[in-house]
Amino acid sequence: MPETSSDKNRNLPATGSGAMFDNLAPRYDLLNRLMSLGVDKRWRRRTVRSLQLRSGDKVLDLATGTGDLAINIARKHTDVTVVGVDPSAGMLDVGRTKIAKAGLSERITMREGVGEELPFENDTFNAVTIAFGIRNCTDRPQALREMRRVTKAGGRIGILELGEPRRGIMAPIARFHIHQLIPRLGAWLSGAREYRYLQESIEAFPPSEEFAVTMGDCGLHILDLVPFGFGSCHLYLAEVPKDEGDLAN
Ligand SMILES: C[S@@+](CC[C@H](N)C(=O)[O-])C[C@H]1O[C@@H](n2cnc3c(N)ncnc32)[C@H](O)[C@@H]1O
């Protein structure tokens, strides 16, 4: 009997780890587009704009996966360099192929690593982004402190993340999308385990205001909290304080 994708996935960790994403890598972009109904593209563009990058800046795109956000940044800012970091070799491989096809290999480099222990010196980057990846970090405060450590004073940090839509008349529809449509679509296209993880991890992510407080506790100065998709996604925009006094403002 032929092995089905759910047979293949039965013994894989459904934890959001790099190993789980290695398994998803070949289908990740397609699944992403279908599940977000394509709106993730708009959210990514808004994230890139909010960084206010300047000529010659160096950006870290953490949990870069297949590199969509890194590519967005490099396309919009033709004199900026990007380093993408992710623990999944499979996702990075797909990303490297896309980057080469886009003719961006000179300005985007991809390397393996995790958010909790970044392989960079202090104050290396002008800005850091992480899209749909902070949820997967097992120690989020540690990953936030690492982002702060590697970013220069005054540099921006843009975190795009999904969460449970809690308020507003459209919230039940958005919750239906997350709890009913995503797991079914995911199970159909790839195997149930990963998409049960996706739904459970979205449910478990703290409310946006609470996560913004955690960011503040990790030494980041929150500039903006932008809801998208009826509250199913937020852009958390922060700055690394120029001096400790900035945090009080
Ligand atoms: C949902 S994907 C997002 C990929 C990409 N940023 C995007 O916007 O499409 C989540 C990524 O987080 C990565 N990841 C898992 N654990 C991580 C960790 N501890 N630190 C950094 N990235 C991690 C996974 O390998 C995966 O590529």
Side-chain angles (χ1 to χ4, degrees):
M1 209 162 131
E3 195 185 41
T4 66
S5 60
S6 35
D7 290 328
K8 268 192 280 173
N9 297 338
R10 195 161 291 142
N11 298 319
L12 285 162
T15 57
S17 66
M20 187 191 104
F21 280 95
D22 276 341
N23 187 51
L24 281 179
R27 287 149 296 156
Y28 176 80
D29 284 345
L30 172 67
L31 291 165
N32 210 7
R33 290 292 104 73
L34 289 173
M35 289 184 180
S36 73
L37 309 171
V39 291
D40 65 298
K41 288 190 176 180
R42 196 155 39 86
W43 302 346
R44 286 172 207 277
R45 283 199 298 269
R46 173 69 197 271
T47 303
V48 175
R49 272 204 313 276
S50 72
L51 299 174
Q52 298 187 348
L53 295 173
R54 287 184 224 152
S55 178
D57 277 356
K58 190 171 172 186
V59 181
L60 168 65
D61 181 38
L62 186 54
T64 193
T66 60
D68 273 3
L69 195 56
I71 291 170
N72 253 280
I73 293 168
R75 277 199 175 130
K76 179 155 171 63
H77 298 280
T78 52
D79 43 12
V80 158
T81 53
V82 188
V83 181
V85 167
D86 197 284
S88 163
M91 295 284 273
L92 291 173
D93 278 349
V94 175
R96 284 191 189 100
T97 305
K98 285 161 61 179
I99 290 163
K101 264 193 196 151
L104 293 170
S105 303
E106 302 238 313
R107 287 194 296 117
I108 306 178
T109 49
M110 303 284 258
R111 61 184 283 182
E112 272 185 58
V114 291
E116 292 87 343
E117 200 180 347
L118 290 173
F120 305 107
E121 302 282 318
N122 293 354
D123 309 324
T124 301
F125 297 97
N126 302 94
V128 175
T129 52
I130 176 166
F132 314 116
I134 193 72
R135 214 176 54 240
N136 301 310
C137 292
T138 41
D139 187 344
R140 281 180 210 137
Q142 173 62 15
L144 292 169
R145 284 190 294 269
E146 278 291 87
M147 287 184 224
R148 181 192 166 166
R149 181 183 68 74
V150 301
T151 308
K152 294 178 191 196
R156 291 193 166 193
I157 295 188
I159 301 180
L160 199 54
E161 193 49 275
L162 301 170
E164 181 83 358
R166 291 177 165 85
R167 283 196 296 265
I169 48 169
M170 297 303 277
I173 295 172
R175 280 201 298 272
F176 177 79
H177 181 75
I178 292 168
H179 293 289
Q180 305 298 329
L181 290 187
I182 285 185
R184 283 184 173 78
L185 196 59
W188 177 51
L189 287 166
S190 80
R193 210 167 157 75
E194 285 81 359
Y195 286 91
R196 202 174 57 241
Y197 162 77
L198 180 61
Q199 179 208 327
E200 285 166 1
S201 66
I202 292 172
E203 222 171 55
F205 196 72
S208 52
E209 296 80 3
E210 196 181 313
F211 184 65
V213 170
T214 305
M215 289 176 70
D217 291 345
C218 294
L220 298 171
H221 175 58
I222 296 286
L223 298 173
D224 208 354
L225 181 53
V226 188
F228 300 121
F230 312 114
S232 58
C233 179
H234 283 83
L235 167 62
Y236 302 84
L237 184 67
E239 187 182 59
V240 172
K242 290 188 192 73
D243 58 56
E244 293 306 317
D246 287 6
L247 270 178
N249 300 326

